[in-house]
Amino acid sequence: MPLGLLKYALSKEHPAPRFFRDCTEPKKSYDAVIIGGGGHGLAAAYYLAKDFGITNVAVLEKGYIGGGNTGRNTTIVRSNYLTPEGVNFYDASVKMYEDLSQELDLNLFYSTRGHFTLAHTDSAMRTMRWRAEVNKHVGVESRVVGPDEISQACPQLDISCSGQAPIQGALYHAPGSVARHDAVAWGYAKEADRMGVEIFQSTEVTGIDVKSGKVVGVNTSKGYIETNRVLSAVAGFTPRITEMVDIETPIVIHPLQACVSEPMKPWLDTILVSGSLHVYVSQSSRGELVMGSSLDPYEMHSTRSSLDFVEGLTSHIVDMFPFLSNVKVVRQWAGMADLTPDFAPIMGKTPVEGFYLDAGWGTWGFKATPISGKTMAETMARDIAPDLIEPFRLTRFEDYELTGEKGAASVGH
Amino acid sequence: MTGRIAKKRGEWINRDKPLTFEYEGQVVNGYEGDTISSALWAAGIRVLGRSFKYHRARGLLSFANHDVNALMTDGEDTNIRADVWPVSQGMALSAVNTDGGVVKDRNKYIDKLSPFLPVGFYYKTFYKPKSLFPFWEDKIRKAAGLGKVNFNYPRILKPKRYAHCDVLIVGAGASGLSAAVAAAKQGLNVILVDENKQAGGSLTYDFAGDQTTADTLNNLLDEVTSNANIRLITGAYAGGYYTDHLVPIVGVDGITKVRAKTVIVASGVFEQPPVFRYNDLPGVMLGSATQRLINRYAVKPFQKGVVVTANDHGYRTALDMAAVGIEVVAVIDMRRDGAKRDLAEKVTEKGIAVHKGSCIYEVVPASNKMAVKEVVVCHYNEDTAEADPRSAVRLSCDGVAMSAGWAPAAALLYQAGTKMRFDYDVQQFVPDQLPEGVFAAGKVNGVFDLKARLLDGQRAAVEASNYLGNASELITVTNPEMASPSHPYPIVNHPKGKNFVDFDEDIQVKDFINAAKEGFDNIELMKRFTTVGMGPSQGKHSNMNAIRILARIRQLPVEKIGTTTARPFFHPTPIGHLGGRSFHPHRYTAMHQWHVDNGGVMMEAGVWMRPAYYVPAGSHLSASDAVQEEAMAVRQSVGMIDGSTLGKIEVFGQDAAAFLERFYTGKFAGQKVGGSRIAMLLDEAGVMVDDGVAVRMAEDKFYVSTNSSNAATVYREMQRNIQLWGMQVTLVNLTGAMAAMTVAGPASRSVVETLIDIDVSAQGLPDGAYKEGQVAGIDARVMRVSFVSDLAFEIHVPYKAGMHVWQALMAAGKQVGIRAFGTDAQRLLRLEMGHHLVSHDTDGLTNPFEAHSESLVAMDKDFFIGQRSLKIIEKKPLNKKLVTFVLDNGFTGELPKECNLVIENGDIKGRVTSISHSNYLNRIIGFAFVSPEQSKSGSRFQVRTDSGAMVPATVTQAPFFHLLESKGA
Amino acid sequence: MSEFTYGGEYRDMPDPDTCTDKEWAAYVHYRNGAPGLKKEWWYHGPSGTWFIAERDTMTDKISRTYIAGQEEAK
Ligand SMILES: Cc1cc2nc3c(=O)[nH]c(=O)nc-3n(C[C@H](O)[C@H](O)[C@H](O)COP(=O)(O)OP(=O)(O)OC[C@H]3O[C@@H](n4cnc5c(N)ncnc54)[C@H](O)[C@@H]3O)c2cc1C
């Protein structure tokens, strides 16, 4: 047992301080206001304070921190994307994640388990090679592997998928990881708070005050706050915020669902994704299988679950793992994914001065939490977006310069 | 069978069918009808499992399908819930999650470490130094999980059943049964479901020592079973509520998906444990669990027990215990004022001592820590929730029954979108605003008195009936004056803790206090930090106490704390039940059997199965040799491919040509009847999505083909745009109705000629021309095409005639050595011809300018889909261009593969999209995206192979046949 | 719902001859993603019919359906 735990047994009072203060009444004005207390908003607050010394910052969260998609996601972290700009960006995030537990002084259970994207068809194999080649080029560890290597890493997998869709190979990405989603939000909140950032829960932004094209304040359920820098990091709520400042974006909201099984002794050590079967699965350190599928087929601003989803998902899970027939699903849930047409985020400045956007995270944004926080903090502090996120600018749609991630769609966590 | 009592009226076991089974190596007797737990308990076995985190010995708690600490494996299956799963003859069971048996479990030392493992401890350690995390993680993973899954468990998919009804009633207790009878009387068609194997709910066990309720039950049951409008399903639970009143009913034999017009939730309540030190020892159980043991299974929960209660239900429990001869040492009532008089009197009449204003301060374990030895009873201050240890009295006993209150089984109500409120009279969350068509009745609705529950069922039935259009008189239910069924704070602090709130996750009172101290002081954060309610029972016995504890910490009323969301499933539901349908529909062409019979290696192509190549019986061709031979046959003589999967759409009407002009990039208005043109489709952003051929059959009629994988979407897009543009066009989708085959190669004409009744000579049917005639006596549509070879005939016939015509052509071609070729050879052949494949050589962003398809794009037309975007794109420099290339003559190195990258000065400039050796050309040719500067014929570029070698390639013109004349490039 | 296929938001096309590049790009790429009552394309598979549904994207309630261009003639 690690010695660090000794103090809990030896002291009478629980020797742990609050992670973050219980802020209730916002001040009259802040140097920056961040809408959304998910991983992204909290990370941006943290890096504003840490990298730029901007600590007079309020994070406004209408529910509780981490309660949006951050706390609902299936936590796959990887960087094996298709375009060099995508790979570079996510790779920077993976590298930050690797040291984040130490940096935030909290165990995020960042667990590098290896990630297999299974290919059941020729054309899927081609896409795997494409990704592998681009990844290698950028210096990210990815390669195409055959069924044998997949079986070695996961002997329980039925390579023929019960004869329904035989696996031809996979893209193997050794850095693929999972982490404790809540802890990421809490860790950023804790350290941001320590540096002076104020986090307000149960505080909803209801309007943004723009005068002559510049942000001057926000209306909230706790009153008006003056500020000339606002970051929107609200994922599934983005269209409601951009509507407040009259900015058009391509973002549409589709529910994304997931479920977990009852706990069993860990046997699945890797992360498996199958585009053709629309499933992905990993096993948490509690022993639960965490399973997800593709997006719900139509636009919806709701987090309700559907039976269709679990039916489709489980029918494919038994194709892959026939022996799971009598293992039970304990709980299903949904989040609201903010989708873009090219499966890449929208980050950076907007036509409204002082209004910054961090959105379009769809089904893939958890892995980007550290790097998006860091780059958005820089964008806000300097009022210039760093090169790393240039390809994700809002104007790319007007310019017909969409990112090429469109090529590698399907189940893209 | 020490614990079995004399036969009881209505018991659920069959004494005529004794059986034996094994538990942890010990032979145990039971009866048919017993659950695992009831049989074990009757046999005097008390340790039914070990807890998840601390490996504490646990017995029976709820006996109602949330005893997550009593999970078994029978060697085949795991995580079997002992409290509800029936025993069967010869079973060999053991508890899951132990090391060395449930009694000796080597992991029980973890309990001693618990002071070191405070709430959320794992967030605070194991990560420094970083390099040690994998070590700790491995340890944590070894400790995690409950049962071991059996990798040889068979694949069992249970087919779904479907049912419809006017009213689905969830829960067949007093209110549910009464609702069913009332609804049926209203003429409604009712499905009534209950998770227990017999209907009746608490009427089957909560007797308070006399069995008059059993009469009420029998009367209700008679009415239910004799009514043809009611379908009663027992032994199955409502798994969740989904939009439009869809409720999956989950039974052992699978799921019935019930689509109801209305739903009445009469699902009752879960009993909640009071919280005190060692409330988890085997022998300490809920009052209702003791009643179920006694009255359903005729098992004595203990010989000499105490009841600790904070409501009147504990007294009823005491009476049920006394009625079967259990020595009840005392009723310890946490309330200052005790129970209502008649109940208290009944209990004292039995000689049972009642201690008001008292609590169990702690249970004293037997020396083995696995049973109850005595309880320490103290005065209890209801306001401060503190016990006064100075007043301690020890009562010796071997078990404790606990009754402190209830939590509504409201999961379905929450999922349906019900707003709940906290009702202080009953100290329970009750429905406040119900969604349309959803009703609640009985205890879940806060109605506890039996008469009132029966009436509440009727009320809900009438409301449901009126919702469906009847106009019956509404019923009002008034709750009689009674003590609150739930205590506002049945929690006893203890400096040494081990007063458990969540038995799934081993969470104690101090864990909540500490979590709040650390800032996790709203219910959602607290849930996530402590993991309360996250275990397999999903908080059924813990969420309410957690809310109460947090309310006290925050000094807020309970309703300000709110509840956490109750998500499906109501009970964990098997994957094989849920996945009970297969998702892999395949379509087969008319010639499918021929392909199979002739060695076709079938591959999935979208929804279709197509031969990739053929390995005829007796031959031992490798895949690549087969492909090369097939292609060579086409070049040198003749081959034939099944093209039935092409999309085939007839477009006719006065606006047909005008429609195609708007829909596709090319021009069709001036197209000659009997001629064909390429039909390229873009999306609105100008990206290439499909290409096919449009034949003009008549002035007002076209026959259009699409790529196989796009058949359905192109047809749909056509339909949508006809509607949007308001054009006079009719579509017929002939994709499935027509078989198609292409006869290709220099000898193709000679083969076709023998079977056709029209002139197919070079003049009679020039390239691109279309004619109708008969092939092998079948009406056919015939087209000269040049996708895979200069001379080729595409023949479309009705699906039913497909096989006949195919075989006739095969026979006719026999003497010139005709070969069937598959999709792989087709890919090679079209490559030699220099034809790209949309979405193979292009991707989700490719526009026609990048794919050398300018000639197909009539920018001077008024409008076509994507045109306006192309006008914008046209002004921008191109990023990449698709070219045809050849590798150096005699190249022998590592062959580049599709999707290997084109690299220039260390930068990615493009990629190979197609590449193949051509035996016919004796060269390696392909398509690649390259930078525009490198796209001119003769330009050299470099491809990086898998292993990193750089392979030079030369841009060259296609068709590639010029390579045969020239020497090298 | 599986016999129905979602076809995206119904959007009025600007006049390609007179609109600016920017207006066209906005038409092609941008969407009104905020919750509320929206006009949407839906396709009914069994009958092969496209129709417009006015649906609240928050509650999933459909308030009106009609064939495109025929909403007045209801
Ligand atoms: C089921 C599911 C699985 C996923 N799996 C993965 C995965 O495996 N890997 C991966 O990388 N990504 C995954 N994602 C995506 C990922 O979860 C998100 O992209 C990411 O968490 C977004 O983080 P965020 O901080 O931007 O948003 P959120 O965590 O959603 O936070 C936004 C916050 O803004 C608040 N808010 C909204 N409006 C207002 C307002 N007006 N005022 C104040 N506050 C407001 C919300 O309450 C919310 O808490 C998944 C998503 C889902 C739903």
Side-chain angles (χ1 to χ4, degrees):
Chain A
M1 171 176 324
L3 289 177
L5 291 175
L6 261 179
K7 66 174 180 208
Y8 296 103
L10 298 179
S11 49
K12 242 184 136 89
E13 281 295 305
H14 186 61
R18 281 189 78 94
F19 272 52
F20 28 79
R21 286 161 292 164
D22 185 17
C23 301
T24 45
E25 286 310 312
K27 293 188 295 197
K28 192 164 155 273
S29 92
Y30 289 90
D31 294 343
V33 165
I34 293 171
I35 315 173
H40 285 229
L42 293 164
Y46 168 77
Y47 292 107
L48 268 178
K50 176 172 166 271
D51 294 354
F52 301 97
I54 301 175
T55 56
N56 184 22
V57 175
V59 177
L60 308 179
E61 167 52 55
K62 74 185 176 100
Y64 57 98
I65 62 168
N69 288 349
T70 299
R72 296 162 198 270
N73 94 95
T74 49
T75 78
I76 297 174
V77 175
R78 60 180 179 87
S79 60
N80 56 353
Y81 278 71
L82 181 63
T83 60
E85 58 274 25
V87 180
N88 271 323
F89 175 77
Y90 292 106
D91 184 42
S93 209
V94 168
K95 298 216 164 90
M96 291 172 76
Y97 259 124
E98 284 168 354
D99 296 316
L100 203 57
S101 293
Q102 289 71 33
E103 174 162 357
L104 299 179
D105 199 15
L106 193 71
N107 194 344
L108 310 177
F109 272 69
Y110 185 77
S111 170
T112 301
R113 321 205 64 81
H115 180 281
F116 288 86
T117 315
L118 305 175
H120 307 254
T121 62
D122 276 351
S123 67
M125 279 302 278
R126 297 174 81 231
T127 314
M128 297 313 136
R129 171 156 288 105
W130 186 2
R131 282 166 61 181
E133 290 300 307
V134 173
N135 288 198
K136 272 193 284 186
H137 184 80
V138 178
V140 163
E141 201 184 329
S142 285
R143 60 198 162 84
V144 176
V145 297
D148 289 350
E149 203 168 328
I150 304 170
S151 285
Q152 242 168 40
C154 182
Q156 297 83 3
L157 176 65
D158 180 348
I159 291 290
S160 83
C161 287
S162 303
Q164 303 285 354
I167 293 166
Q168 302 194 5
L171 178 67
Y172 174 58
H173 178 55
S177 302
V178 287
R180 272 286 296 147
H181 47 27
D182 293 331
V184 172
W186 301 340
Y188 276 120
K190 173 171 80 83
E191 292 302 300
D193 174 274
R194 208 176 46 76
M195 290 184 284
V197 171
E198 294 177 4
I199 299 162
F200 297 89
Q201 304 189 75
S202 305
T203 306
E204 181 167 3
V205 170
T206 52
I208 297 172
D209 193 9
V210 178
K211 294 232 161 71
S212 357
K214 288 185 193 170
V215 169
V216 294
V218 292
N219 285 306
T220 81
S221 56
K222 298 225 172 109
Y224 184 84
I225 298 174
E226 289 170 15
T227 185
N228 45 32
R229 264 186 293 211
V230 169
L231 171 66
S232 170
V234 296
F237 297 85
T238 299
R240 306 184 207 191
I241 298 290
T242 49
E243 203 176 38
M244 294 176 188
V245 285
D246 216 4
I247 286 177
E248 280 199 290
T249 80
I251 292 174
V252 287
I253 307 300
H254 285 238
L256 179 66
Q257 306 193 47
C259 63
V260 289
S261 75
E262 60 193 339
M264 65 200 97
K265 289 279 163 216
W267 53 272
L268 178 63
D269 292 329
T270 58
I271 307 161
L272 296 178
V273 181
S274 162
S276 311
L277 297 183
H278 307 288
V279 293
Y280 60 92
V281 54
S282 68
Q283 190 171 16
S284 75
S285 47
R286 285 170 55 87
E288 303 161 333
L289 293 177
V290 180
M291 299 173 279
S293 180
S294 39
L295 288 154
D296 282 12
Y298 60 93
E299 203 183 333
M300 259 294 261
H301 296 259
S302 153
T303 54
R304 69 175 190 211
S305 300
S306 78
L307 187 57
D308 253 7
F309 158 77
V310 249
E311 289 184 312
L313 173 78
T314 49
S315 75
H316 290 142
I317 287 284
V318 268
D319 286 346
M320 292 165 70
F321 302 107
F323 59 87
L324 290 180
S325 298
N326 211 32
V327 163
K328 294 164 190 83
V329 176
V330 168
R331 180 172 69 242
Q332 63 172 136
W333 68 90
M336 298 191 308
D338 41 334
L339 294 169
T340 58
D342 60 356
F343 305 97
I346 300 175
M347 301 179 75
K349 297 176 63 171
T350 69
V352 175
E353 205 180 316
F355 180 76
Y356 304 91
L357 194 56
D358 173 64
W361 290 109
T363 68
W364 52 83
F366 176 70
K367 66 180 67 63
T369 306
I371 193 65
S372 80
K374 196 170 177 75
T375 50
M376 287 312 301
E378 181 176 342
T379 310
M380 290 173 77
R382 302 220 164 105
D383 199 35
I384 303 173
D387 289 347
L388 197 60
I389 63 169
E390 230 291 307
F392 309 131
R393 68 197 183 281
L394 175 60
T395 50
R396 73 177 183 272
F397 300 100
E398 277 169 32
D399 299 342
Y400 281 79
E401 283 170 14
L402 277 64
T403 73
E405 292 300 340
K406 238 184 140 178
S410 70
V411 187
H413 294 284
Chain B
M1 282 201 209
T2 51
R4 201 71 77 167
I5 49 191
K7 191 172 167 79
K8 291 193 59 89
R9 176 182 168 191
E11 68 184 20
W12 289 9
I13 52 170
N14 183 353
R15 306 227 182 201
D16 300 333
K17 296 257 175 83
L19 49 79
T20 58
F21 65 102
E22 264 180 45
Y23 171 65
E24 299 263 326
Q26 177 183 347
V27 175
V28 183
N29 296 310
Y31 292 112
E32 188 185 273
D34 262 324
T35 72
I36 297 169
S37 293
S38 69
L40 292 177
W41 210 263
I45 293 167
R46 293 292 174 263
V47 184
L48 307 190
R50 289 279 169 178
S51 68
F52 183 42
K53 192 162 138 197
Y54 298 148
H55 283 256
R56 291 175 59 81
R58 293 275 162 86
L60 193 146
L61 174 67
S62 73
F63 199 43
N65 206 1
H66 44 108
D67 281 0
V68 172
N69 295 140
L71 298 181
M72 306 285 160
T73 172
D74 60 0
E76 262 287 279
D77 200 2
T78 192
N79 290 356
I80 299 170
R81 290 201 174 176
D83 58 340
V84 291
W85 196 253
V87 278
S88 52
Q89 173 64 35
M91 265 181 160
L93 298 164
S94 49
V96 304
N97 198 26
T98 73
D99 179 7
V102 74
V103 171
K104 295 221 169 84
D105 186 14
R106 287 185 201 98
N107 289 324
K108 65 186 174 210
Y109 75 92
I110 297 174
D111 190 29
K112 298 233 170 59
L113 300 182
S114 63
F116 300 92
L117 310 176
V119 63
F121 72 92
Y122 35 81
Y123 293 122
K124 296 165 187 166
T125 182
F126 305 131
Y127 62 98
K128 280 183 201 159
K130 180 176 150 188
S131 56
L132 273 186
F133 177 64
F135 167 82
W136 288 116
E137 190 189 22
D138 187 53
K139 292 238 171 317
I140 292 165
R141 280 180 87 84
K142 288 221 167 79
L146 295 166
K148 271 200 197 85
V149 69
N150 167 13
F151 301 134
N152 296 315
Y153 196 85
R155 178 178 203 258
I156 305 170
L157 288 175
K158 300 269 168 77
K160 300 264 163 58
R161 279 159 302 187
Y162 300 84
H164 293 263
C165 61
D166 296 323
V167 197
L168 170 67
I169 301 171
V170 179
S175 59
L177 288 166
S178 143
V181 172
K185 278 192 190 140
Q186 298 262 341
L188 303 180
N189 170 313
V190 179
I191 294 179
L192 173 62
V193 60
D194 197 288
E195 64 173 298
N196 287 286
K197 66 179 178 186
Q198 291 187 29
S202 61
L203 296 180
T204 63
Y205 61 81
D206 181 16
F207 297 156
D210 89 65
Q211 288 210 359
T212 49
T213 51
D215 298 328
T216 316
L217 173 60
N218 284 344
N219 294 340
L220 275 170
L221 276 180
D222 284 346
E223 283 196 71
V224 163
T225 46
S226 62
N227 194 319
N229 278 348
I230 304 174
R231 178 172 160 204
L232 173 65
I233 305 173
T234 52
Y237 58 89
Y241 173 96
Y242 299 94
T243 311
D244 297 333
H245 308 322
L246 172 65
V247 179
I249 304 293
V250 188
V252 228
D253 51 348
I255 291 180
T256 305
K257 288 164 80 171
V258 177
R259 185 71 77 173
K261 291 189 187 140
T262 62
V263 179
I264 297 176
V265 178
S267 45
V269 286
F270 304 118
E271 187 156 39
Q272 303 297 296
V275 177
F276 48 86
R277 178 167 165 85
Y278 289 155
N279 59 349
D280 68 324
L281 278 177
V284 183
M285 67 180 81
L286 293 171
S288 57
T290 64
Q291 290 179 305
R292 282 187 277 269
L293 270 179
I294 295 168
N295 294 323
R296 287 178 176 172
Y297 297 93
V299 175
K300 272 191 191 174
F302 12 77
Q303 303 298 332
K304 184 178 171 192
V306 302
V307 173
V308 60
T309 190
N311 59 13
D312 286 359
H313 185 251
Y315 291 75
R316 301 177 63 87
T317 304
L319 291 171
D320 275 327
M321 284 163 45
V324 294
I326 295 169
E327 183 186 339
V328 182
V329 180
V331 170
I332 299 152
D333 194 331
M334 296 172 77
R335 297 170 299 178
R336 199 178 296 118
D337 304 327
K340 63 179 180 193
R341 218 161 102 219
D342 55 332
L343 255 184
E345 274 168 9
K346 272 194 200 156
V347 166
T348 32
E349 271 166 24
K350 301 269 177 207
I352 302 170
V354 174
H355 303 275
K356 287 191 247 180
S358 300
C359 67
I360 293 185
Y361 182 58
E362 62 186 305
V363 181
V364 180
S367 56
N368 65 5
K369 296 263 172 70
M370 293 188 286
V372 177
K373 183 172 154 224
E374 53 190 20
V375 293
V376 177
V377 178
C378 295
H379 292 314
Y380 179 66
N381 182 329
E382 276 187 281
D383 304 323
T384 60
E386 293 295 345
D388 178 2
R390 288 166 308 181
S391 63
V393 178
R394 288 171 179 252
L395 301 178
S396 127
C397 59
D398 66 348
V400 179
M402 314 180 276
S403 293
W406 313 88
L412 268 70
L413 290 174
Y414 280 113
Q415 288 154 23
T418 307
K419 278 219 182 76
M420 305 282 281
R421 73 180 160 86
F422 194 74
D423 182 325
Y424 285 90
D425 287 342
V426 289
Q427 291 288 334
Q428 180 183 317
F429 283 100
V430 296
D432 191 17
Q433 280 173 41
L434 286 156
E436 274 183 32
V438 176
F439 307 88
K443 289 178 182 170
V444 76
N445 196 29
V447 179
F448 277 75
D449 173 76
L450 177 56
K451 279 209 190 88
R453 273 189 282 152
L454 294 171
L455 196 63
D456 204 36
Q458 292 167 17
R459 173 202 53 80
V462 168
E463 286 178 12
S465 163
N466 286 357
Y467 174 80
L468 294 176
N470 291 342
S472 305
E473 196 180 328
L474 292 174
I475 299 173
T476 31
V477 181
T478 37
N479 263 333
E481 192 79 21
M482 66 189 291
S484 170
S486 292
H487 191 270
Y489 201 74
I491 312 236
V492 183
N493 294 327
H494 193 293
K496 289 199 191 139
K498 295 278 160 72
N499 40 4
F500 289 95
V501 175
D502 189 315
F503 291 64
D504 293 20
E505 302 273 312
D506 280 346
I507 306 169
Q508 324 168 34
V509 174
K510 70 162 194 246
D511 293 332
F512 294 93
I513 296 168
N514 293 339
K517 273 192 188 152
E518 296 193 33
F520 298 90
D521 53 4
N522 70 53
I523 189 67
E524 288 287 355
L525 287 183
M526 179 166 274
K527 170 177 171 179
R528 284 168 163 74
F529 192 67
T530 60
T531 74
V532 66
M534 308 271 269
S537 83
Q538 295 284 286
K540 289 189 174 66
H541 64 252
S542 60
N543 279 348
M544 196 56 228
N545 279 334
I547 291 169
R548 294 187 196 281
I549 293 170
L550 181 57
R552 183 152 295 218
I553 293 172
R554 301 274 318 258
Q555 302 193 308
L556 288 170
V558 165
E559 85 269 5
K560 283 270 188 287
I561 298 297
T563 58
T564 57
T565 332
R567 300 195 169 96
F569 288 91
F570 184 64
H571 290 307
T573 300
I575 283 175
H577 283 32
L578 289 165
R581 63 177 172 177
S582 185
F583 265 27
H584 307 276
H586 284 142
R587 289 178 77 178
Y588 303 101
T589 74
M591 291 79 100
H592 182 79
Q593 197 52 47
W594 192 94
H595 306 317
V596 173
D597 293 344
N598 288 275
V601 176
M602 307 304 289
M603 293 282 185
E604 235 172 275
V607 290
W608 295 94
M609 294 305 287
R610 299 191 72 182
Y613 52 88
Y614 298 82
V615 183
S619 87
H620 297 283
L621 288 177
S622 69
S624 70
D625 287 348
V627 173
Q628 294 291 345
E629 278 191 12
E630 289 168 18
M632 195 66 93
V634 173
R635 288 284 169 260
Q636 294 180 335
S637 177
V638 59
M640 181 159 69
I641 184 168
D642 179 354
S644 304
T645 59
L646 283 178
K648 298 177 279 296
I649 304 166
E650 271 181 12
V651 179
F652 61 96
Q654 71 183 55
D655 293 338
F659 169 71
L660 294 187
E661 291 244 333
R662 287 179 74 86
F663 194 73
Y664 288 115
T665 56
K667 290 193 176 165
F668 301 92
Q671 185 179 346
K672 284 204 199 70
V673 172
S676 65
R677 285 189 180 169
I678 294 198
M680 180 164 74
L681 180 67
L682 308 182
D683 68 12
E684 279 193 310
V687 172
M688 295 162 70
V689 292
D690 189 61
D691 60 359
V693 170
V695 167
R696 191 163 205 169
M697 299 172 74
E699 261 320 298
D700 61 351
K701 185 170 179 185
F702 290 81
Y703 185 50
V704 186
S705 66
T706 76
N707 285 348
S708 300
S709 52
N710 292 336
T713 38
V714 171
Y715 176 67
R716 278 210 299 263
E717 279 315 298
M718 284 186 169
Q719 287 180 301
R720 170 169 21 202
N721 284 298
I722 288 168
Q723 192 181 108
L724 183 64
W725 297 332
M727 297 181 102
Q728 295 300 310
V729 179
T730 305
L731 300 176
V732 183
N733 189 348
L734 294 177
T735 305
M738 298 287 273
M741 57 212 91
T742 300
V743 189
S748 58
R749 182 177 285 123
S750 69
V751 174
V752 173
E753 259 167 1
T754 58
L755 292 171
I756 203 161
D757 66 348
I758 48 172
D759 178 10
V760 292
S761 68
Q763 299 75 34
L765 195 71
D767 192 20
Y770 166 87
K771 267 189 182 163
E772 284 155 32
Q774 286 206 326
V775 178
I778 304 293
D779 286 340
R781 300 176 171 187
V782 183
M783 212 187 312
R784 263 288 300 283
V785 290
S786 53
F787 187 59
V788 294
S789 96
D790 286 333
L791 185 63
F793 299 85
E794 194 173 305
I795 298 168
H796 293 213
V797 295
Y799 180 91
K800 274 189 291 189
M803 183 67 112
H804 164 74
V805 174
W806 174 273
Q807 284 175 328
L809 286 162
M810 274 292 163
K814 196 160 184 192
Q815 56 180 9
V816 286
I818 192 169
R819 279 200 64 156
F821 64 100
T823 49
D824 282 7
Q826 184 189 34
R827 281 203 184 151
L828 169 57
L829 291 163
R830 64 86 207 184
L831 177 58
E832 291 170 349
M833 296 291 289
H835 295 302
H836 63 243
L837 293 175
V838 170
S839 76
H840 184 96
D841 296 302
T842 70
D843 59 55
L845 285 177
T846 310
N847 66 55
F849 306 138
E850 293 169 331
H852 269 309
S853 300
E854 297 88 339
S855 60
L856 301 175
V857 181
M859 290 301 280
D860 57 340
K861 283 197 296 185
D862 274 355
F863 175 87
F864 60 86
I865 298 172
Q867 181 192 37
R868 184 66 179 83
S869 288
L870 289 187
K871 284 186 180 163
I872 298 171
I873 294 165
E874 212 173 22
K875 295 180 210 159
K876 298 160 60 80
L878 288 182
N879 290 323
K880 57 183 197 285
K881 264 193 116 114
L882 188 64
V883 297
T884 39
F885 70 84
V886 61
L887 297 194
D888 292 350
N889 208 354
F891 174 82
T892 54
E894 181 191 354
L895 188 66
K897 296 199 179 91
E898 290 180 357
C899 291
N900 277 152
L901 300 177
V902 173
I903 302 284
E904 185 73 22
N905 295 329
D907 285 335
I908 302 175
K909 290 292 175 193
R911 69 181 192 281
V912 173
T913 62
S914 288
I915 187 166
S916 184
H917 184 263
S918 158
N919 275 11
Y920 180 68
L921 299 169
N922 195 23
R923 292 293 288 272
I924 295 158
I925 56 173
F927 271 104
F929 274 112
V930 297
S931 68
E933 305 84 69
Q934 285 175 314
S935 65
K936 282 205 196 58
S937 187
S939 296
R940 301 271 284 173
F941 63 90
Q942 305 276 326
V943 177
R944 190 167 60 200
T945 64
D946 279 3
S947 70
M950 301 300 283
V951 173
T954 308
V955 178
T956 189
Q957 270 159 10
F960 286 94
F961 304 113
H962 60 86
L963 294 174
L964 287 173
E965 286 100 58
S966 66
K967 268 215 174 148
Chain C
M1 276 305 255
S2 55
E3 65 197 57
F4 294 98
T5 309
Y6 177 60
E9 187 190 349
Y10 175 93
R11 294 169 61 76
D12 286 317
M13 186 176 87
D15 183 341
D17 296 329
T18 57
C19 72
T20 64
D21 286 0
K22 214 171 154 164
E23 282 163 355
W24 184 262
Y27 161 70
V28 169
H29 295 299
Y30 292 158
R31 295 290 176 272
N32 166 21
L37 196 65
K38 292 177 76 172
K39 278 202 215 177
E40 296 173 336
W41 283 105
W42 284 86
Y43 184 73
H44 183 237
S47 69
T49 321
W50 281 102
F51 59 94
I52 305 289
E54 292 184 5
R55 187 177 66 99
D56 188 326
T57 57
M58 193 86 143
T59 61
D60 207 18
K61 286 247 156 37
I62 293 173
S63 49
R64 220 150 76 95
T65 59
Y66 47 83
I67 302 292
Q70 295 179 16
E71 57 268 49
E72 267 81 38
K74 178 167 91 107

